[in-house]
Amino acid sequence: MHIILLHNRDHDLLEDDPGREAREDVVRVASALAEALSRGDTLAEPLAIEGDRLDFVDTLRRRQPDLVVNLCESLAADSRGEMAVPCLLDALGLAYTGSSALSLGLALHKPKAKEVLSARGVPTPPFRVVNKLEDALAVDLPWPLIVKPAREDASVGVTADSVVHERAALVRACDAVLRTFHQPALVEQFIPGREIYVPLLGNQPRQPLPLTEIHFGRTFEERPNIVSYTAKWEPESDEYRDTTSGPCQVDVTLEARCVQVALEAFAALDCQDYGRVDLRVSPEGVPYVIDINPNCDLHPGAGFAKAAKAAGMDYPALATRLVEVALERAHGYPATRRKGQGAPRRADSKDRNLLAAGG
């Protein structure tokens, strides 16, 4: 089997990139997965998308891999380009891991994702969108609030100052987002309580991996208990040191509630294969969706791989399972085949005519 691990390499494209560390991490993930998957008769090789160059399309057309592991999180250091990659892979007729362009686009556009969740009855904190600074004066949500960029992930743009308790601080936080990221600010009601992550793997059925909880140490005694960009990506910082993840100790009722909300959220955005749903659980025990992460971080040291390990899957086993899940969905057959049995052929024009005729 020939697998290509497609990833962005654009972390050095911008002079002042507030998401540089997150973009750099993708290169390491591609390398780790290539090592984990290159076993036996499987060849897995990384392929980088350099900046905004699209010559990778010709490379994929020429090589015709059995599967593309889609690790792209941006194009030309712009997160909005993430959804373009599945579109191109669909146009090439190539099977790939992870969610479709529509799901990735919805998840990245946080206000739209929250509108979909609300329409489906999935609990998510009430919100407003600040397109210009004057809009911050009209926000009418209960305090405290949290402010974040409307179309970033990986905690980009989230700092201790993102949680605000009064109007002047709200205006400052919105101004920082508008000026730094040149995009709207999402203002949500801040939910105090536990932060719990639900990793999901598979499609039919879709199954949760062991739940993970974020534990906030001494650094956060005088700060909001949130996973800021510093806490996630800057290993030398106090916030990083005192933000740890570990097994989630909850009673069976709350665990079932968290899993059900996560499954409903994943289905609402039509996500597939794998991902993570981030929840804040209120003191009353209500899980609120604060983020949906299709195609979440697959680094060996990241939360998804840790949850898989807790479920009995080491990293090579997780990598193999991700491939199986994608092939099962794309081709409608069990991905584990007998030795010597090839991949299914692609549908030719005769096949398509038969399908169009209904038999």
Side-chain angles (χ1 to χ4, degrees):
M1 180 180 292
H2 181 205
I3 298 173
I4 285 183
L5 300 108
L6 190 64
H7 65 93
N8 51 290
R9 186 158 61 197
D10 52 4
H11 55 272
D12 56 355
L13 195 63
L14 302 179
E15 290 185 7
D16 186 17
D17 183 0
R20 179 185 175 91
E21 291 85 359
R23 270 182 258 282
E24 251 182 328
D25 187 61
V26 179
V27 180
R28 293 189 287 269
V29 173
S31 176
L33 281 172
E35 182 178 352
L37 289 170
S38 293
R39 295 165 183 262
D41 59 355
T42 297
L43 170 64
E45 53 180 337
L47 174 62
I49 300 178
E50 303 282 358
D52 60 355
R53 291 169 55 187
L54 299 181
D55 50 358
F56 73 94
V57 173
D58 291 331
T59 302
L60 290 172
R61 184 183 288 115
R62 185 175 67 255
R63 295 186 185 179
Q64 288 293 303
D66 297 295
L67 181 71
V68 175
V69 175
N70 179 22
L71 300 173
C72 293
E73 296 184 358
S74 60
L75 287 179
D78 189 333
S79 298
R80 291 173 297 178
E82 177 185 34
M83 66 182 295
V85 176
C87 288
L88 292 169
L89 296 175
D90 285 332
L92 291 171
L94 295 175
Y96 58 88
T97 61
S99 287
S100 68
L102 176 61
S103 299
L104 294 180
L106 279 174
L108 185 64
H109 196 308
K110 297 181 187 298
K112 290 298 181 187
K114 289 172 70 67
E115 288 176 5
V116 172
L117 293 177
S118 298
R120 294 284 288 266
V122 181
T124 187
F127 72 102
R128 301 289 185 271
V129 178
V130 172
N131 291 292
K132 56 184 184 301
L133 203 55
E134 291 78 5
D135 295 342
L137 302 176
V139 171
D140 56 352
L141 299 172
W143 305 95
L145 306 173
I146 183 167
V147 181
K148 59 185 79 168
R151 58 168 191 259
E152 300 289 344
D153 56 13
S155 292
V156 172
V158 178
T159 72
D161 294 331
S162 296
V163 177
V164 297
H165 298 262
E166 46 84 25
R167 187 73 57 182
L170 172 62
V171 171
R172 288 194 298 271
C174 290
D175 184 52
V177 169
L178 294 170
R179 286 188 296 102
T180 303
F181 297 96
H182 310 290
Q183 62 183 274
L186 174 67
V187 181
E188 291 181 316
Q189 182 180 359
F190 178 69
I191 306 298
R194 303 169 70 177
E195 185 152 331
I196 294 175
Y197 297 163
V198 184
L200 299 171
L201 178 62
N203 294 303
Q204 295 178 345
R206 180 172 293 135
Q207 295 182 329
L209 298 175
L211 275 58
T212 300
E213 182 169 2
I214 302 298
H215 303 285
F216 299 95
R218 292 180 59 184
T219 300
F220 293 88
E221 291 176 357
E222 303 298 327
R223 302 186 190 187
N225 286 4
I226 60 171
V227 182
S228 66
Y229 186 84
T230 297
K232 185 170 285 188
W233 297 108
E234 298 180 12
E236 303 304 318
S237 68
D238 292 339
E239 288 183 51
Y240 185 99
R241 184 197 64 220
D242 280 350
T243 306
T244 58
S245 62
C248 182
Q249 304 296 328
V250 293
D251 60 60
V252 292
T253 301
L254 180 56
E255 180 178 12
R257 192 177 299 141
C258 288
V259 169
Q260 185 61 34
V261 167
L263 289 170
E264 291 173 356
F266 222 59
L269 268 61
D270 202 24
C271 301
Q272 58 195 23
D273 291 1
Y274 71 99
R276 193 188 75 228
V277 179
D278 299 352
L279 308 172
R280 294 285 292 200
V281 180
S282 72
E284 296 76 30
V286 178
Y288 290 88
V289 177
I290 59 170
D291 206 4
I292 301 175
N293 295 277
N295 296 18
C296 61
D297 186 359
L298 294 176
H299 189 279
F304 196 87
K306 289 180 179 179
K309 187 175 183 180
M313 281 186 283
D314 61 14
Y315 194 67
L318 171 61
T320 299
R321 184 59 190 144
L322 290 168
V323 168
E324 292 173 349
V325 164
L327 290 175
E328 288 165 2
R329 170 182 52 77
H331 298 305
Y333 74 103
T336 303
R337 301 186 298 276
R338 295 189 301 274
K339 186 174 181 180
Q341 183 178 4
R345 64 185 176 87
R346 292 194 175 96
D348 58 21
S349 58
K350 181 179 179 181
D351 294 327
R352 288 191 288 271
N353 290 337
L354 285 170
L355 290 170

